[in-house]
Amino acid sequence: MNAPTLPQTRTPLLFVKQVVRDSSKSMASLLSSPAFSNPTLPSSSSSSSSSTMGLATSKNACSGGGQSCFIKVRQRDPAKSHVTNAYGQRAQESVLEEETSQMSEASPSFKVSPGQPFPLGASELENGVNFAIFSQHASSVILCLSLPGRGKVQEVGALMVEIMLDAKINKTGDIWHIWIEDLPRNGVLYGYRIDGPCDWKHGHRFDSSVILLDPYAKLVEGRRVFGDVRNKMSKLLGTYDFTALPFDWGVNYKPPNIPEKDLVIYEMNVRAFTADESSGLDPNIRGSYLGVIAKIPHLLELGINAVELLPVFEFDEFEFQRHPNPRDHMINTWGYSTINFFAPMSRYASAGGGPVAASREFQHMVKALHRAGIEVILDVVYNHTNEADDVHPYATSFRGIDNNVYYMLDLNNKIQYLNFSGCGNTFNCNHPVVMELILDSLRHWVTEYHVDGFRFDLASVLCRGTDGSPLKAPPLIKAIAKDAVLSRCKIIAEPWDCGGLYLVGRFPNWDRWAEWNGQYRDDVRRFIKGDVGMKSHFATRLAGSSDLYQVFKRKPYHSVNFVIAHDGFTLCDLVSYNFKHNDANGEGGRDGSNDNFSWNCGCEGETDDSNIIALRSRQMKNFHLALMISQGAPMMQMGDEYAHTRKGNNNSYGHDTAINHFQWGQLQARKKNHFRFFSEMIKFRLKHTTLRHENFLNKNDITWHENNWQNSESKFLAFTLHGVNLGDIYLAFNAHDYFVKVAIPSPPDGRHWYRVVDTNLESPHDFVPDGILGVKNTYNIAPHSSILLQAKP
């Protein structure tokens, strides 16, 4: 979107007195705040004539009414007017005065001028604050301000200063703007009341009774403690802090810049990582950005080098509880319901510190992770927002600002939102205004917070036009790939959506976009659990999915390989349940995927059967081994390193409990066996470049020990990856329920085979870092187990 040309004409500088809403308190008492100094007005008599500048009103133009406060402009005698300088231009001063019997003549006042349309949001300009917001279809815009000391955020709705913007003075193109002099540089809360056409059939949802959050607010104030039921219905308002010094990243600071082929990604939830008492952290630190810092030693011991954080943009954890429904007992703990795309989740600050603390602590977290050599990738949700649908709308921002622009609509239906997200609405990502918002948001997280990349939730939505139809060359996807600020970032698509646009291997990419490889997940699950006819598919996935990604300049690492992610079974549950058990979600088991390709190994859920327990342990190790030796970029899920269980719930987004919380006690109990295997396997991968090829494998890189490809009943696969410095690596996977005696190929000259992995063995023999010499010409591989041999001198 091109910036409009600013008018060069002189514009009036206005003194504005506060318009305060309060139905229970006297106006005079509300205006006693010392937050604003009362500037000295020019000592001249006013003109007898006056013109109406604007009307601040709580009336809902579409449905309802309310209290009205009038603001009049009284032009001063030009011959006696005081001339001042604003934005480098001379301007006439006027005085806005309230017309109310309760207004004191000595009430505080402050100066405003039309301001400028860019940048959007709240920005410091000279000795004031500029506010700018886009709305193409609005007929009126009122800026609402709450000054420092005006009470808690949940009380400010009735205590707000309101300034109506004049479309003739405060609007450039489709952007409304105003500048306010000497506004406090921090502690101010703000929002907008916006009105426009009452025209449902044309997609408008204006409601001037609602105070709306600025889409470009860089900080959001609301309830400060996660899950605080006392403030469940707290408002969410924009705020800023222009007093803060730039964050000190350090003289020698630099991000890790890990090549994509070398990534080992750990998907995790900031809150759930340390919220549990077993974390051993101070209660004020649990579930916070600082909690992540405290547990960096665990991440280093595990061996991963990138974290992929579930959504950390501001969201409302109580959104399910705003009206009676089957899910009104749940708390959104995953965060896939964005309210604002610029502000860090404020309730992830330590000790209820609020948005300013959250911003600074997020920066500290990134800095600490970078110092440890760990990159930070954000899971971002631009496909929909928290504002739900037309049945149970939750209007906080976009819906009331310009619904017709921000959302995909079908104007032929009563319920007009197109729902490709499965969450009630779909963000209109390829509309020019919305596209620029998304790009500005991404740039903000890179420049302000130094994040290293993004994983785009339901990214196929971003490939749809404004009418919902798929685009071959989506403007937003191309713009992200080509953007200079984002050029060093990892960009990863979840290449499907809830409307059936499945783009695995076909996502528009400009040779930059990587993808969550859903085909990898499904094929690896099916082979290892013992499905027939899966051997060739399994081999293709381990070798880098060349059938999907070997096109143009794409690389194996454009496949983000995973067996487990946040949505679906945990690794432990994948080998413990044949069916999902989602009754706790309140939807009668209708939610969550039915296609899990899981196998309970002989018993549904928990069991005391030692044989089943041993089989499940082998299967988890088999999955992890396959993931870590595959070409591409592996991703594992938080908690799988100690076999976390959600008791069969494969859609646990609404449980702020041990179902999702990392159990540090269980980690400690399994440190010497399960965790040890997982950690050692990660480190083995990072040590051996043979497992991390830059390009797709050719015949010199791999030998398949197989002459039985056409046998659909075969569930055994063996192959050798040929290395240079660290030698060849032999791998065999047996998904049969019986032993397979396999001939081992001769090692390269001057080398011998060392057994590094046998998943059938107990710890510590299941993984021996230096290997065990003595492998014969044959090896008897146990049922549902796998081996890794290394050729060494």
Side-chain angles (χ1 to χ4, degrees):
M1 180 178 179
N2 295 325
T5 303
L6 297 180
Q8 299 301 312
T9 58
R10 295 179 181 177
T11 52
L13 182 68
L14 306 171
F15 282 101
V16 180
K17 289 191 176 182
Q18 303 177 35
V19 180
V20 184
R21 294 177 176 275
D22 193 346
S23 58
S24 61
K25 299 181 180 180
S26 71
M27 190 72 71
S29 66
L30 295 175
L31 292 173
S32 61
S33 168
F36 282 86
S37 59
N38 192 359
T40 303
L41 302 181
S43 56
S44 59
S45 60
S46 61
S47 169
S48 61
S49 64
S50 63
S51 60
T52 301
M53 166 89 172
L55 170 68
T57 175
S58 63
K59 182 179 180 182
N60 177 353
C62 294
S63 58
Q67 178 187 12
S68 295
C69 298
F70 294 86
I71 302 175
K72 280 192 175 181
V73 172
R74 186 167 57 193
Q75 286 295 129
R76 301 186 60 80
D77 184 346
K80 298 180 180 180
S81 64
H82 175 72
V83 180
T84 187
N85 186 287
Y87 306 104
Q89 60 186 11
R90 300 173 67 81
Q92 296 287 337
E93 288 186 351
S94 299
V95 180
L96 285 180
E97 296 183 338
E98 289 180 314
E99 186 171 273
T100 172
S101 61
Q102 295 177 310
M103 175 65 73
S104 165
E105 285 299 321
S107 63
S109 59
F110 51 97
K111 293 188 290 185
V112 304
S113 77
Q116 61 185 41
F118 292 100
L120 292 169
S123 57
E124 189 168 37
L125 189 62
E126 295 188 2
N127 60 332
V129 178
N130 190 80
F131 296 89
I133 187 170
F134 164 88
S135 183
Q136 178 182 347
H137 296 102
S139 60
S140 71
V141 173
I142 299 172
L143 174 64
C144 306
L145 302 173
S146 177
L147 311 182
R150 281 295 177 91
K152 298 179 180 179
V153 66
Q154 58 268 24
E155 301 170 348
V156 302
L159 302 174
M160 300 198 84
V161 178
E162 296 190 348
I163 304 171
M164 173 165 275
L165 279 61
D166 187 331
K168 296 179 181 179
I169 299 174
N170 300 103
K171 187 180 180 186
T172 303
D174 294 327
I175 298 175
W176 301 72
H177 45 83
I178 191 169
W179 175 83
I180 304 176
E181 185 179 57
D182 292 333
L183 200 62
R185 300 180 68 215
N186 62 5
V188 173
L189 307 182
Y190 76 99
Y192 294 90
R193 296 184 189 271
I194 297 180
D195 212 346
C198 300
D199 194 349
W200 182 285
K201 67 180 181 179
H202 288 102
H204 299 302
R205 302 292 185 271
F206 292 104
D207 183 350
S208 62
S209 71
V210 179
I211 300 177
L212 300 167
L213 179 64
D214 178 6
Y216 273 80
K218 303 307 187 295
L219 300 172
V220 175
E221 178 70 89
R223 81 182 69 85
R224 290 198 164 194
V225 177
F226 192 95
D228 179 7
V229 296
R230 297 169 301 175
N231 295 311
K232 183 184 296 187
M233 306 303 286
S234 175
K235 294 180 182 295
L236 296 167
L237 296 168
T239 189
Y240 55 78
D241 182 9
F242 298 130
T243 67
L245 295 174
F247 183 74
D248 181 10
W249 291 96
V251 176
N252 298 318
Y253 165 83
K254 62 179 181 179
N257 287 327
I258 299 170
E260 288 180 83
K261 70 181 182 65
D262 298 332
L263 289 174
V264 178
I265 302 171
Y266 183 78
E267 190 192 31
M268 60 173 287
N269 181 308
V270 168
R271 174 167 171 78
F273 193 46
T274 64
D276 196 81
E277 184 179 0
S278 64
S279 67
L281 300 181
D282 183 285
N284 286 325
I285 302 297
R286 294 176 198 160
S288 71
Y289 301 121
L290 297 188
V292 174
I293 296 176
K295 294 300 184 178
I296 287 177
H298 167 70
L299 301 177
L300 292 174
E301 185 178 8
L302 179 59
I304 58 91
N305 56 23
V307 292
E308 184 174 299
L309 304 180
L310 266 63
V312 292
F313 294 2
E314 186 72 28
F315 65 91
D316 181 5
E317 69 272 24
F318 283 121
E319 66 173 351
F320 307 134
Q321 302 187 22
R322 303 191 75 84
H323 62 86
N325 68 92
R327 301 185 298 164
D328 59 13
H329 61 291
M330 299 213 291
I331 293 178
N332 186 344
T333 188
W334 284 359
Y336 288 87
S337 196
T338 308
I339 282 180
N340 175 279
F341 297 110
F342 291 85
M345 176 57 171
S346 58
R347 287 170 296 290
Y348 287 172
S350 63
V356 176
S359 174
R360 190 50 55 102
E361 290 176 9
F362 189 96
Q363 291 169 317
H364 278 293
M365 179 190 68
V366 174
K367 180 179 179 180
L369 287 165
H370 282 180
R371 188 185 300 118
I374 298 172
E375 291 198 338
V376 179
I377 299 170
L378 302 187
D379 192 336
V380 292
V381 186
Y382 293 109
N383 61 80
H384 75 284
T385 76
N386 67 293
E387 295 189 302
D389 55 22
D390 280 332
V391 179
H392 295 293
Y394 177 22
T396 56
S397 184
F398 308 98
R399 177 182 171 95
I401 292 171
D402 209 325
N403 190 69
N404 214 329
V405 168
Y406 284 112
Y407 293 108
M408 294 185 193
L409 306 175
D410 179 2
L411 300 182
N412 295 317
N413 288 323
K414 176 67 174 177
I415 306 303
Q416 295 181 341
Y417 286 121
L418 294 174
N419 185 14
F420 299 116
S421 68
C423 297
N425 64 68
T426 307
F427 216 44
N428 199 7
C429 297
N430 283 295
H431 185 287
V433 170
V434 184
M435 183 173 77
E436 195 60 34
L437 169 76
I438 294 171
L439 289 168
D440 286 343
S441 165
L442 294 169
R443 295 173 190 131
H444 176 71
W445 287 96
V446 172
T447 57
E448 185 72 13
Y449 296 106
H450 290 201
V451 302
D452 303 284
F454 305 92
R455 176 267 187 187
F456 292 79
D457 182 65
L458 297 183
S460 289
V461 166
L462 281 60
C463 298
R464 294 182 181 271
T466 55
D467 63 352
S469 60
L471 303 174
K472 291 184 178 180
L476 175 60
I477 299 300
K478 180 179 180 180
I480 292 171
K482 300 294 185 180
D483 190 84
V485 175
L486 307 178
S487 60
R488 74 166 184 84
C489 293
K490 281 77 177 177
I491 48 176
I492 304 168
E494 183 183 34
W496 53 82
D497 64 18
C498 294
L501 189 55
Y502 189 78
L503 295 175
V504 173
R506 300 183 294 112
F507 192 84
N509 56 81
W510 284 272
D511 296 324
R512 276 209 62 203
W513 282 83
E515 302 174 17
W516 267 25
N517 189 345
Q519 199 63 51
Y520 178 97
R521 173 199 59 206
D522 296 346
D523 290 349
V524 170
R525 285 185 179 191
R526 294 187 64 191
F527 176 85
I528 288 182
K529 85 182 186 72
D531 283 0
V532 298
M534 293 306 300
K535 179 162 66 175
S536 62
H537 299 284
F538 181 62
T540 300
R541 300 300 153 237
L542 299 189
S545 296
S546 60
D547 61 326
L548 298 174
Y549 300 108
Q550 194 171 11
V551 59
F552 299 115
K553 296 181 180 179
R554 301 194 86 180
K555 303 291 184 178
Y557 52 74
H558 287 131
S559 170
V560 175
N561 301 326
F562 68 103
V563 177
I564 302 297
H566 65 276
D567 49 355
F569 282 143
T570 66
L571 186 59
C572 178
D573 290 353
L574 185 69
V575 300
S576 304
Y577 294 91
N578 286 348
F579 309 100
K580 65 185 182 184
H581 295 264
N582 294 359
D583 292 343
N585 298 352
E587 298 188 61
R590 294 183 300 274
D591 66 309
S593 175
N594 295 317
D595 301 320
N596 297 293
F597 303 119
S598 61
W599 176 43
N600 64 20
C601 298
C603 176
E604 188 74 356
E606 295 181 3
T607 181
D608 294 328
D609 189 312
S610 60
N611 291 326
I612 293 177
I613 292 172
L615 175 56
R616 289 175 176 175
S617 176
R618 290 204 304 277
Q619 287 291 80
M620 286 189 281
K621 289 187 286 187
N622 291 335
F623 279 119
H624 190 61
L625 173 63
L627 180 64
M628 289 301 146
I629 60 87
S630 295
Q631 303 297 322
M635 183 190 78
M636 65 173 290
Q637 165 70 6
M638 176 186 91
D640 283 346
E641 68 266 38
Y642 68 83
H644 181 84
T645 178
R646 294 175 182 155
K647 310 299 183 183
N649 192 323
N650 75 348
N651 194 28
S652 64
Y653 62 94
H655 299 284
D656 189 36
T657 66
I659 289 178
N660 284 313
H661 293 174
F662 195 100
Q663 299 298 298
W664 294 90
Q666 292 182 25
L667 169 69
Q668 198 59 39
R670 297 163 186 170
K671 205 71 175 287
K672 294 181 180 180
N673 41 62
H674 185 97
F675 174 83
R676 177 184 174 276
F677 182 91
F678 274 56
S679 174
E680 292 290 357
M681 197 62 240
I682 293 170
K683 293 168 184 174
F684 185 89
R685 173 182 178 83
L686 292 176
K687 184 178 179 181
H688 293 82
T689 57
T690 307
L691 305 176
R692 299 177 283 111
H693 277 256
E694 174 79 19
N695 298 305
F696 287 95
L697 302 179
N698 59 44
K699 62 181 181 181
N700 297 317
D701 299 320
I702 189 169
T703 298
W704 299 101
H705 306 298
E706 182 60 59
N707 55 12
N708 205 18
W709 291 110
Q710 305 305 316
N711 183 1
S712 63
E713 298 297 322
S714 176
K715 304 175 186 178
F716 181 88
L717 180 70
F719 58 95
T720 298
L721 292 167
H722 301 296
V724 181
N725 297 325
L726 294 177
D728 288 3
I729 295 174
Y730 173 89
L731 288 138
F733 292 86
N734 179 20
H736 288 289
D737 57 2
Y738 52 82
F739 278 88
V740 172
K741 189 173 184 179
V742 60
I744 304 297
S746 299
D749 291 343
R751 293 180 178 252
H752 306 278
W753 288 119
Y754 287 72
R755 189 198 78 229
V756 178
V757 173
D758 186 337
T759 61
N760 183 54
L761 302 177
E762 297 288 336
S763 182
H765 307 294
D766 53 355
F767 192 104
V768 181
D770 293 329
I772 297 293
L773 183 62
V775 177
K776 307 298 183 181
N777 294 332
T778 61
Y779 198 107
N780 207 17
I781 302 177
H784 299 293
S785 64
S786 47
I787 65 170
L788 183 154
L789 311 178
Q790 183 181 2
K792 299 170 62 176

